[in-house]
Amino acid sequence: MPNTGRSGAEAFAESLYERFSEHKFLFGNKEYRISVSIGIALMPLHGNNIEELMVNADAAMYEAK
């Protein structure tokens, strides 16, 4: 998300989280909700290239779980 700082990334992540959690689906006779875990990595704080950012975003996602 170019030109987006921490607050913009966090707002986008929260929006995604809320959108997913609002929806339910039926499987068989049971109702389920989908949830997401989202990791945020910022350039240059968490890396200077896509590989470093992905590693750190992945680590942040697992921490969110």
Side-chain angles (χ1 to χ4, degrees):
M1 294 175 53
N3 304 314
T4 301
R6 178 183 299 273
S7 62
E10 289 173 348
F12 181 75
E14 183 64 31
S15 174
L16 281 178
Y17 179 84
E18 289 173 6
R19 287 181 184 176
F20 274 98
S21 65
E22 289 173 355
H23 297 285
K24 298 178 250 181
F25 69 96
L26 292 175
F27 183 75
N29 61 353
K30 289 193 173 192
E31 185 176 271
Y32 296 90
R33 289 187 183 269
I34 297 172
S35 67
V36 296
S37 297
I38 301 170
I40 296 172
L42 303 170
M43 184 181 266
L45 181 63
H46 301 113
N48 290 311
N49 59 54
I50 190 66
E51 291 82 13
E52 291 175 348
L53 289 170
M54 291 302 292
V55 165
N56 287 312
D58 191 52
M61 179 199 59
Y62 280 102
E63 189 175 315
K65 287 183 174 191

